[in-house]
Amino acid sequence: WLYKTPITFDCSVSELFGPLQVGARMVIARPGGHREPDYLRDLMERENVTIVHFVPSMLDVFLETVGASFPASVRRVQATGEALPGALANEVRSVREIEVLNTYGPTEATVVATASLLDGRAPVSIGLPLAGWAIAVVDAAGEPVPPGTTGELVIGGVGLARYLDPVRDAERYAPLPSLGWPRAYRSGDLVSLADAGLMFHGRADD
């Protein structure tokens, strides 16, 4: 499992604790190495890395620089931090059957709350909640909306963080009476529930 994200970026959490949870070997890139696609590819090949994580815009640069190829050892690419374009996901899979795991979660929900293993046939979704998480799609009044209807994604579960500002914390982590949740994070992200999972439709604000 390649660890390359600076510790100051919240996406580093999954790179740090993912391998520790499952007993995987962690390969640590040199400081600043995340900015060097050729170095990263050589490191993956030399250390037989099987799992890598990329923010989609960085993944695009990586593939363009190294010629759209991952070393043969890589079997899964995890994307998070931005909306993943379907064309980019398919580009990862075009050379061979690399798994593409699209994950979603704001810092306020300890980074990753939902995931979708993409197969190239269905539209790109952000998936369904991982163990320990609960999600709901609600309208402006906080009431759940039917599947297929766009609403705001709210998140509940064991990994909710807290703001240091108690006023801000109470505002964004307010209870969700319609579902009986004592605390729920208002993500500001617009989604709808489809057969493939949650579909991302942008932000509710600017």
Side-chain angles (χ1 to χ4, degrees):
W1 199 315
L2 179 63
Y3 180 86
K4 61 174 177 49
T5 303
I7 197 70
T8 51
F9 184 21
D10 62 3
C11 288
S12 66
V13 170
S14 58
E15 286 187 8
L16 178 61
F17 292 105
L20 296 179
Q21 284 183 307
V22 298
R25 181 169 63 95
M26 183 191 295
V27 175
I28 303 175
R30 68 190 180 203
H34 63 287
R35 298 188 181 94
E36 305 173 51
D38 290 323
Y39 160 74
L40 288 178
R41 191 190 188 288
D42 290 345
L43 180 63
M44 293 177 204
E45 189 167 41
R46 185 170 66 250
E47 297 293 339
N48 291 312
V49 167
T50 57
I51 300 176
V52 294
H53 163 264
F54 281 95
V55 172
S57 55
M58 184 181 180
L59 175 60
D60 192 28
V61 171
F62 175 84
L63 292 175
E64 183 179 349
T65 304
V66 303
S69 65
F70 279 96
S73 61
V74 174
R75 60 179 176 80
R76 173 175 286 185
V77 174
Q78 177 183 342
T80 194
E82 299 168 352
L84 175 64
L88 182 57
N90 290 335
E91 185 178 352
V92 173
R93 296 167 45 84
S94 64
V95 177
R96 54 191 168 82
E97 288 296 305
I98 296 178
E99 293 180 342
V100 178
L101 184 69
N102 191 30
T103 58
Y104 163 88
T107 305
E108 290 86 349
T110 322
V111 190
V112 176
T114 71
S116 175
L117 191 60
L118 306 180
D119 62 10
R121 293 187 296 272
V124 173
S125 84
I126 58 172
L128 295 171
L130 300 173
W133 291 105
I135 59 96
V137 186
V138 302
D139 59 21
E143 294 292 328
V145 300
T149 303
T150 299
E152 182 180 13
L153 178 62
V154 293
I155 305 170
V158 297
L160 292 182
R162 292 187 184 275
Y163 285 131
L164 296 177
D165 179 346
V167 175
R168 180 73 167 161
D169 185 80
E171 173 190 339
R172 296 309 293 264
Y173 290 101
L176 189 63
S178 61
L179 293 179
W181 294 1
R183 205 162 173 264
Y185 176 65
R186 269 71 174 165
S187 70
D189 290 323
L190 297 176
V191 300
S192 62
L193 182 60
D195 291 341
L198 291 166
M199 308 305 294
F200 178 70
H201 300 299
R203 293 286 299 170
D205 54 34
D206 294 325

